């Protein structure tokens, strides 16, 4: 099958030095719009190749839905605010397409692009949710041929699957590295890894922000009853069906690990899809009511245009993260917090509520684990989280978890 990406650009000078064997090069100028789709497309040096697959397909999906407004299962006739007390309410509030919960997955492309220290890395494109939605990502698997549990690695804003696998040139990105190649490190730690592309840009424009196009497609989706967060979660959830039967993957053992925007995605994905056996949420948990409504929260949503797509108007914000956490229980969850991250104070308040619920209700006894890194910033910490995943998915006993977990 021919490449969807033209092979241009330079090889990385350091590739051989760090043990990477590159099978394909990257480009910014390939137009991945579907036939007939004329959605506004970002300046090519602001986005990655995966964005070029996912973003036009979401617009094509919304175009198809907008052409038949009378038959919209997601469209609400009146505004209603829900408590997200159960999975169905949360799915509705997040705007997850119904097609993503029942449609089959079709492989469009899978090709090897790199081999790094015993890990094969493939580029993959899947048609999900019955089409035209397409999900781009990278898959990392060990060359030892053994079956591994699957971890879905979810990058944050201004990043990409390539960056969290350590394949991309850092100079392409406008902000500093906070992912620390955690997708590649997960593959080295004994997991099969799928890193899907989330909708975010990697470079700013004057007086703009990283999630400009994320917000744009979110605004288009809202009148139809969808949200970009729900569309992406539905696409990723549907893609699990593909990986469940792939060679080298233990399809009955799945987890997610995400940071920031990816932490939000991992959190809600685990809440709506009970096939996930465990989840790691990094630098996302917060006192959601204060973040949405508080005047003095340092990173309140209303302060930043980039937070529009993360603001859910149909969900009661009070104790939201605590309530969603209970939808994940009794499955284990690890909360990763940088002590110097601006979310730390709110996250600690949520943890106190979860601890109280854990102690007072034995029916909620589950592996709730957390680690607050005193000097940590808004970044992947990894060590405690990977021990947690190895404990629950690989059943590697670890005394190191005891100080951080409530069982």
């Amino acid at each position: 099958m021919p490449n969807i990406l033209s092979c241009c650009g330079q090889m990385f000078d350091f590739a051989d030095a760090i043990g990477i064997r590159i099978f394909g090069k990257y480009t910014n100028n390939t137009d991945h719009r579907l036939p007939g789709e004329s959605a506004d497309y970002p300046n090519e040096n602001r986005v990655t190749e995966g964005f070029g697959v996912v973003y036009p397909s979401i617009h094509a999906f919304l175009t198809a839905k907008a052409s038949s407004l009378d038959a919209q299962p997601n469209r609400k006739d009146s505004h209603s605010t829900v408590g997200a007390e159960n999975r169905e309410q949360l799915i509705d509030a997040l705007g997850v397409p119904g097609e993503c919960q029942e449609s089959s997955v079709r492989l469009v492309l899978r090709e090897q692009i790199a081999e790094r220290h015993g890990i094969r890395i493939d580029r993959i494109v899947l048609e999900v949710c019955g089409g035209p939605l397409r999900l781009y990502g990278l898959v990392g698997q060990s060359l030892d041929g053994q079956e591994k549990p699957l971890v879905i690695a979810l990058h944050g804003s201004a990043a990409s699957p390539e960056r969290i696998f350590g394949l991309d040139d850092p100079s392409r990105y406008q902000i500093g590295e906070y992912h620390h190649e955690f997708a590649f490190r997960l593959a080295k730690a004994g997991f099969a890894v799928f890193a899907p592309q989330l909708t975010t840009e990697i470079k700013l424009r004057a007086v703009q922000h990283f999630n400009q196009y994320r917000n744009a497609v979110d605004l288009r989706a809202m009148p139809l009853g969808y949200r970009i967060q729900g569309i992406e979660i539905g696409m990723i959830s549907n893609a699990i069906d593909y990986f469940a039967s792939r060679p080298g993957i233990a399809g009955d053992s799945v987890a997610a690990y995400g940071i920031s925007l990816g932490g939000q995605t991992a959190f809600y994905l685990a809440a709506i899809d009970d096939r996930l056996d465990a989840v790691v949420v990094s630098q996302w948990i917060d006192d959601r009511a204060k973040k949405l409504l508080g005047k003095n929260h340092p990173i309140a949503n209303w302060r930043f245009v980039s937070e529009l797509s993360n603001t859910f108007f149909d969900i009661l914000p009070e104790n939201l993260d605590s309530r969603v956490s209970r939808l994940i229980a009794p499955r284990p969850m690890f909360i990763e917090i940088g002590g110097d991250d601006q979310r730390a104070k709110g996250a600690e308040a949520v943890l106190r509520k979860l601890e109280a619920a854990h102690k007072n209700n034995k029916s909620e006894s589950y592996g709730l684990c957390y680690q607050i890194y005193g000097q940590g910033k808004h970044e992947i910490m990894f060590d405690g989280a990977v021990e947690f995943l190895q404990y629950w998915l690989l059943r590697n006993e670890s005394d190191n978890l005891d100080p951080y977990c409530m069982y």
Side-chain angles (χ1 to χ4, degrees):
M1 181 181 296
N3 290 355
I4 60 165
L5 304 177
S6 60
C7 292
C8 63
Q10 294 184 335
M11 286 282 195
F12 305 145
D13 293 336
F14 56 86
D16 290 336
I18 62 174
I20 303 178
R21 185 182 173 200
I22 302 294
F23 287 79
K25 303 179 187 179
Y26 301 110
T27 179
N28 284 329
N29 59 10
T30 303
D31 190 341
H32 295 287
R33 280 175 282 189
L34 300 178
E37 181 61 39
S38 58
D40 179 37
Y41 196 69
N43 182 287
E44 61 188 28
N45 69 357
R46 294 183 60 206
V47 298
T48 59
E49 295 73 26
F51 187 106
V53 173
V54 175
Y55 180 76
S57 83
I58 294 174
H59 268 299
F61 170 78
L62 295 174
T63 295
K65 292 297 180 183
S67 66
S68 56
L69 281 176
D70 291 337
Q72 292 304 315
N74 276 59
R75 187 168 181 240
K76 302 179 183 69
D77 292 328
S78 61
H79 181 82
S80 61
T81 304
V82 301
E85 301 295 342
N86 60 59
R87 189 164 286 125
E88 290 71 26
Q89 284 185 342
L90 184 61
I91 288 172
D92 183 58
L94 291 175
V96 179
E99 297 93 329
C100 296
Q101 301 171 59
E102 57 193 29
S103 300
S104 59
V105 180
R106 183 176 71 87
L107 178 65
V108 176
L109 171 80
R110 182 163 183 168
E111 61 180 359
Q112 184 174 356
I113 61 169
E115 183 181 308
R116 184 181 180 192
H117 299 300
I119 303 298
R120 170 179 165 146
I121 302 173
D122 290 359
R123 177 189 292 123
I124 190 170
V125 177
L126 300 172
E127 186 176 86
V128 294
C129 308
L133 289 171
R134 290 191 173 188
L135 185 62
Y136 171 101
L138 298 185
V139 179
Q141 290 183 263
S142 171
L143 293 173
D144 65 13
Q146 297 181 12
E147 198 170 76
K148 315 280 187 183
L150 177 68
V151 177
I152 302 168
L154 296 151
H155 64 79
S157 292
S160 67
E162 285 80 7
R163 186 156 209 194
I164 63 177
F165 266 104
L167 293 182
D168 222 346
D169 183 350
S171 68
R172 293 185 67 193
Y173 298 82
Q174 190 161 336
I175 68 170
E177 168 64 329
Y178 63 98
H179 295 86
H180 306 310
E181 300 185 10
F182 80 104
F184 173 71
R185 294 163 71 190
L186 285 167
K188 290 291 291 180
F191 302 101
V193 180
F194 171 52
Q197 174 74 53
L198 300 181
T199 308
T200 182
E201 300 103 280
I202 59 175
K203 287 185 181 291
L204 286 172
R205 235 173 28 181
V207 201
Q208 286 295 342
H209 51 86
F210 287 107
N211 290 329
Q212 176 190 359
Y213 288 92
R214 182 177 186 84
N215 286 349
V217 75
D218 190 56
L219 285 169
R220 189 181 182 203
M222 276 193 277
L224 297 169
Y226 303 102
R227 300 297 303 272
I228 180 60
Q229 182 77 80
I231 293 171
E232 288 178 333
I233 289 171
M235 293 166 69
I236 296 165
S237 176
N238 195 207
I240 293 174
D241 296 335
Y242 167 81
F243 291 104
S245 59
R246 295 303 101 188
I249 295 178
D252 58 349
S253 188
V254 182
Y257 183 176
I259 179 169
S260 195
L261 172 63
Q264 176 190 31
T265 306
F267 187 53
Y268 288 126
L269 177 65
I272 72 161
D273 194 331
D274 58 11
R275 292 175 297 175
L276 269 69
D277 299 296
V279 62
V280 178
V281 181
S282 179
Q283 321 303 346
W284 169 254
I285 298 297
D286 203 342
D287 185 324
R288 203 58 53 190
K290 288 183 178 179
K291 193 169 189 305
L292 289 170
L293 304 173
K295 182 178 180 181
N296 298 318
H297 194 292
I299 50 172
N301 280 30
W302 58 268
R303 295 178 185 272
F304 303 96
V305 177
S306 59
E307 291 287 351
L308 174 62
S309 62
N310 297 328
T311 303
F312 296 102
F313 307 105
D314 297 329
I315 308 178
L316 293 171
E318 189 64 31
N319 298 324
L320 176 60
D321 288 16
S322 300
R323 297 199 314 273
V324 174
S325 295
R326 294 189 182 105
L327 296 180
I328 297 172
R331 293 165 293 152
M333 175 170 65
F334 188 97
I335 300 172
E336 199 172 60
I337 304 165
D340 289 341
D341 188 274
Q342 292 177 303
R343 296 162 181 77
K345 185 176 179 180
E348 290 182 51
V350 173
L351 288 172
R352 286 194 293 270
K353 293 175 183 177
L354 293 175
E355 285 179 318
H358 174 87
K359 293 174 181 177
N360 295 332
N361 188 348
K362 294 301 181 182
S363 67
E364 292 193 12
S365 179
Y366 65 108
L368 173 64
C369 309
Y370 63 91
Q371 201 163 5
I372 301 174
Y373 298 81
Q375 301 300 314
K377 302 186 186 302
H378 190 76
E379 58 186 325
I380 286 285
M381 305 301 178
F382 193 76
D383 291 344
V386 78
E387 285 189 14
F388 165 86
L389 291 171
Q390 288 171 334
Y391 179 87
W392 289 103
L393 272 67
L394 298 175
R395 300 303 177 185
N396 289 352
E397 298 294 333
S398 174
D399 294 335
N400 294 331
L401 284 177
D402 292 343
Y404 312 115
C405 297
M406 297 170 286
Y407 296 100

